[in-house]
Amino acid sequence: MARKHILHMLTPLKHMSPFDVNMALDAGFDAVVPYVDVGLGEVTGLVQDAIFSRPPDAGVDTGIFIAGKDASLALDMFDAARKAMVPPFQVSVFADPAGSFTTAAAMVAKVEKALEKKFERGLKDTRIAVFGATGVVGFCTAVIAAREGAGVTLVGHDGIERVKQIAAEIKNRFNIAVDAADGSSDARKTKLVEASEVILACAKAGVQVVSKAQL
Amino acid sequence: MARKHILHMLTPLKHMSPFDVNMALDAGFDAVVPYVDVGLGEVTGLVQDAIFSRPPDAGVDTGIFIAGKDASLALDMFDAARKAMVPPFQVSVFADPAGSFTTAAAMVAKVEKALEKKFERGLKDTRIAVFGATGVVGFCTAVIAAREGAGVTLVGHDGIERVKQIAAEIKNRFNIAVDAADGSSDARKTKLVEASEVILACAKAGVQVVSKAQL
Amino acid sequence: MARKHILHMLTPLKHMSPFDVNMALDAGFDAVVPYVDVGLGEVTGLVQDAIFSRPPDAGVDTGIFIAGKDASLALDMFDAARKAMVPPFQVSVFADPAGSFTTAAAMVAKVEKALEKKFERGLKDTRIAVFGATGVVGFCTAVIAAREGAGVTLVGHDGIERVKQIAAEIKNRFNIAVDAADGSSDARKTKLVEASEVILACAKAGVQVVSKAQL
């Protein structure tokens, strides 16, 4: 009997995401087990509990998945999980809160490809406005794009306060500077669109962030 | 690799029912994942989270099961789940709180068959007393039988108050009239038995609702 | 299609143990389902819910696993689970809180084997000191060794109070007498080592209970 692929799915939220469960099973895991309402302080114990019951060479078949809707918390949990390893007993760890890491990476990659194809340039110094920047996908997109050298502005649909805090968090955690802007009115949004070369819409499904007229 | 059959099992209770888990796995689902303590207001989010991570044609292989012990709440959750679909992204939804929908349907079907075989008649205008009517199976049995035209009386082992409320709920939700009766003493039960053509015992396992002498 | 092997995993704790999940899946179960925060009073309901949805001959393919970190509670839950059976409807029940029952049994068996091989004697009247006796493995080890006739002393790293309570619990539950000793200083530990023929170290991973010099 081949060794089973097991995924322990950790979320700080009340419920595991059915989206993530589907993805994990479709990716080939034989068994997925949810652990909900997991605090950062519980990660070490859960991970160490997972690593000693299979031989060291089974680590690659045993996965820890970190879910949730908060990128910073997910990164902290990811770090805690990695530090909990006791080589040669190690397991795979993967974080993707609300699919944001993969979604953001794909979004930035698509933009990079389009820039290259249409304008023969890269992300470097490209002026990018991230609408819907208060969400986890916007957060990750901003970080990845800024890391690639883009000039990123986080646009807040409810004013500048929250996006300013997010910019500060990005500065603090990744040492990357991004701007914050107030996008709470149509006039303000139009101005931001005019000042940008690329607009990334990261708002919730069903929300129109910019009208056709503003483009 | 064939696509896996995944069942997301939602219950408003603290624990998923092991009964339902066994049934789901024996019915052929490859993976079942419990979500406990689910509020009615959380159903939309969970269902929408489930529908977008697989291609539209996989909807039939992705199921939402609504469990619990409350038929009305299960029906409300079922409605919420159906309204959460975003065609062509849709998944299968099935509600059967405490097995009551299937149990009640089977019970009424058996009665219908027996009536036809032995008396060449149907449920129409048959006088049915539902003992143990304060439970979820009794509730569903009453609704199904009354819909088929039977004259249904809910019998309360602890008096008439609770079954009167249940009758009002059935009237309100399904626009079906059923009677309520006090079955709190042996004398009252004997009277109700005499007035009925069919008796359905829906009480808990281990409870004797009517003695042999009363029949 | 062969009948699936299903394991319902019950824990009184907030999270199921990933260790136990791995073990169960590697042992051949096709599906494992966690039930967390399970109270002793909930065991009967959960077990009875599990036994009626499969035919009686499937009982051996349906398992109840009792986890946690408390041996006494696990034994109480185990008893409750066994009493919940309704023959011929029965399922398999297995308790192993924090792996302690199997770990302790293996530990004592190893000692027994070594005593026989090196000294041609058994556990009977062997003086055994259990360091780390406040944990669940220490508890079980003490019970098993004492049952085999060893003279067991529970050593408390934080004084004698907690191990005295544990000794009382062992007396009360199993009618087995074990001693308790204060092992809170190096001097006390050295004395206990000198008075013992066998030392069992049951402390947490990473804790050194006795130094090389003390042996």
Side-chain angles (χ1 to χ4, degrees):
Chain A
M1 189 174 68
R3 191 146 46 205
K4 281 178 192 137
H5 291 77
I6 303 174
L7 188 62
H8 300 284
M9 305 183 77
L10 276 51
T11 181
L13 301 177
K14 186 182 163 194
H15 299 299
M16 181 52 59
S17 152
F19 187 102
D20 294 340
V21 169
N22 288 343
M23 294 293 279
L25 288 165
D26 283 338
F29 281 97
D30 298 304
V32 301
V33 184
Y35 302 79
V36 302
D37 191 22
V38 175
L40 177 55
E42 293 176 316
V43 172
T44 302
L46 285 167
V47 170
Q48 290 198 335
D49 206 30
I51 61 184
F52 291 122
S53 50
R54 308 186 98 188
D57 70 320
V60 72
D61 297 331
T62 316
I64 305 282
F65 179 80
I66 295 172
K69 290 194 176 177
D70 182 329
S72 283
L73 177 54
L75 288 169
D76 288 342
M77 291 173 83
F78 182 76
D79 286 342
R82 285 210 305 182
K83 279 182 197 143
M85 301 303 163
V86 184
F89 290 91
Q90 293 179 91
V91 297
S92 311
V93 185
F94 179 53
D96 196 17
S100 59
F101 292 1
T102 44
T103 302
M107 195 181 265
V108 176
K110 281 281 185 190
V111 168
E112 198 168 20
K113 208 170 175 180
L115 285 171
E116 186 137 340
K117 199 174 164 188
K118 300 207 174 158
F119 304 102
E120 286 181 5
R121 60 175 294 193
L123 284 164
K124 181 114 189 67
D125 296 325
T126 300
R127 294 188 307 277
I128 299 183
V130 178
F131 285 81
T134 53
V136 63
V137 173
F139 177 92
C140 299
T141 303
V143 171
I144 295 171
R147 269 202 167 167
E148 298 298 316
V152 174
T153 300
L154 308 177
V155 183
H157 70 278
D158 54 356
I160 200 170
E161 279 314 311
R162 283 169 73 206
V163 282
K164 262 178 82 173
Q165 281 173 29
I166 292 168
E169 189 183 337
I170 289 173
K171 178 71 190 167
N172 184 47
R173 176 179 279 270
F174 303 101
N175 197 27
I176 292 171
V178 299
D179 290 325
D182 181 347
S184 60
S185 71
D186 275 340
R188 288 199 174 92
K189 283 202 256 185
T190 303
K191 257 193 167 172
L192 286 162
V193 168
E194 283 166 5
S196 307
E197 293 166 302
V198 173
I199 293 166
L200 296 176
C202 304
K204 274 190 203 175
V207 174
Q208 189 188 39
V209 291
V210 183
S211 68
K212 209 171 177 177
Q214 288 172 312
L215 292 177
Chain B
M1 189 174 69
R3 189 145 50 205
K4 281 180 191 134
H5 292 76
I6 303 173
L7 188 63
H8 300 285
M9 305 183 77
L10 278 50
T11 181
L13 302 177
K14 186 183 162 193
H15 301 299
M16 181 51 59
S17 153
F19 188 102
D20 294 341
V21 168
N22 288 343
M23 294 293 280
L25 288 165
D26 283 337
F29 280 98
D30 298 304
V32 301
V33 184
Y35 302 79
V36 301
D37 191 23
V38 176
L40 177 55
E42 294 176 314
V43 172
T44 302
L46 285 167
V47 170
Q48 290 198 335
D49 206 30
I51 62 184
F52 291 121
S53 50
R54 307 187 98 188
D57 70 321
V60 71
D61 297 329
T62 316
I64 306 282
F65 179 79
I66 295 173
K69 289 194 176 177
D70 182 329
S72 283
L73 177 54
L75 289 169
D76 288 341
M77 292 173 82
F78 182 76
D79 286 343
R82 286 210 304 183
K83 277 181 197 141
M85 300 302 162
V86 184
F89 290 91
Q90 293 180 92
V91 297
S92 311
V93 185
F94 179 54
D96 196 17
S100 59
F101 291 1
T102 43
T103 302
M107 196 181 262
V108 176
K110 281 282 185 187
V111 168
E112 197 167 20
K113 208 169 174 182
L115 285 171
E116 186 136 340
K117 198 173 163 190
K118 298 207 176 160
F119 305 101
E120 288 182 4
R121 59 176 292 191
L123 284 164
K124 182 114 189 64
D125 297 325
T126 299
R127 295 188 306 277
I128 298 183
V130 178
F131 285 80
T134 53
V136 63
V137 172
F139 178 93
C140 299
T141 303
V143 171
I144 296 172
R147 270 202 167 166
E148 298 299 315
V152 174
T153 299
L154 307 177
V155 182
H157 70 278
D158 54 356
I160 199 167
E161 277 316 309
R162 284 171 71 205
V163 283
K164 262 177 83 172
Q165 281 173 29
I166 293 168
E169 189 185 336
I170 288 173
K171 177 72 191 167
N172 184 48
R173 177 181 278 270
F174 303 102
N175 197 26
I176 292 171
V178 300
D179 290 325
D182 181 345
S184 60
S185 71
D186 274 340
R188 288 196 174 95
K189 283 203 254 185
T190 302
K191 258 192 167 172
L192 286 162
V193 169
E194 283 166 4
S196 307
E197 293 165 303
V198 173
I199 293 166
L200 296 176
C202 303
K204 274 189 203 176
V207 175
Q208 189 188 38
V209 292
V210 182
S211 68
K212 207 168 176 181
Q214 289 172 311
L215 293 176
Chain C
M1 190 174 67
R3 190 146 47 205
K4 280 177 193 138
H5 292 76
I6 303 173
L7 188 63
H8 301 285
M9 304 183 78
L10 277 50
T11 181
L13 302 177
K14 187 182 163 193
H15 300 300
M16 181 51 58
S17 153
F19 187 102
D20 294 341
V21 168
N22 288 343
M23 293 293 280
L25 288 164
D26 283 337
F29 280 98
D30 298 304
V32 300
V33 184
Y35 301 78
V36 302
D37 191 23
V38 175
L40 177 56
E42 293 176 317
V43 173
T44 301
L46 285 167
V47 171
Q48 291 197 334
D49 206 30
I51 61 184
F52 291 121
S53 50
R54 306 187 99 188
D57 70 320
V60 72
D61 297 330
T62 316
I64 306 282
F65 179 79
I66 295 172
K69 289 194 176 177
D70 182 329
S72 282
L73 177 54
L75 289 170
D76 288 341
M77 291 174 84
F78 183 76
D79 286 342
R82 284 209 306 182
K83 279 183 196 139
M85 301 302 162
V86 184
F89 290 91
Q90 293 180 92
V91 297
S92 311
V93 185
F94 180 54
D96 196 17
S100 59
F101 292 0
T102 43
T103 302
M107 195 181 264
V108 177
K110 281 281 185 189
V111 169
E112 198 167 18
K113 210 170 173 180
L115 284 171
E116 186 138 340
K117 199 174 164 190
K118 299 209 176 160
F119 305 101
E120 287 182 4
R121 58 176 295 194
L123 285 164
K124 183 116 187 66
D125 297 325
T126 300
R127 294 188 307 277
I128 299 182
V130 178
F131 285 80
T134 53
V136 63
V137 172
F139 177 92
C140 299
T141 302
V143 171
I144 296 172
R147 269 201 167 168
E148 298 299 316
V152 174
T153 300
L154 308 176
V155 183
H157 70 278
D158 54 356
I160 199 169
E161 278 315 309
R162 282 169 74 207
V163 281
K164 261 178 83 173
Q165 281 172 30
I166 293 168
E169 189 184 337
I170 289 173
K171 177 73 190 165
N172 185 46
R173 176 179 279 270
F174 303 102
N175 196 28
I176 292 172
V178 299
D179 290 325
D182 181 346
S184 60
S185 71
D186 274 341
R188 288 197 175 95
K189 283 202 255 183
T190 303
K191 257 194 168 172
L192 286 163
V193 168
E194 283 165 6
S196 306
E197 293 167 302
V198 173
I199 293 167
L200 297 175
C202 303
K204 275 190 205 175
V207 174
Q208 190 188 36
V209 292
V210 182
S211 69
K212 209 170 177 181
Q214 289 172 311
L215 292 177

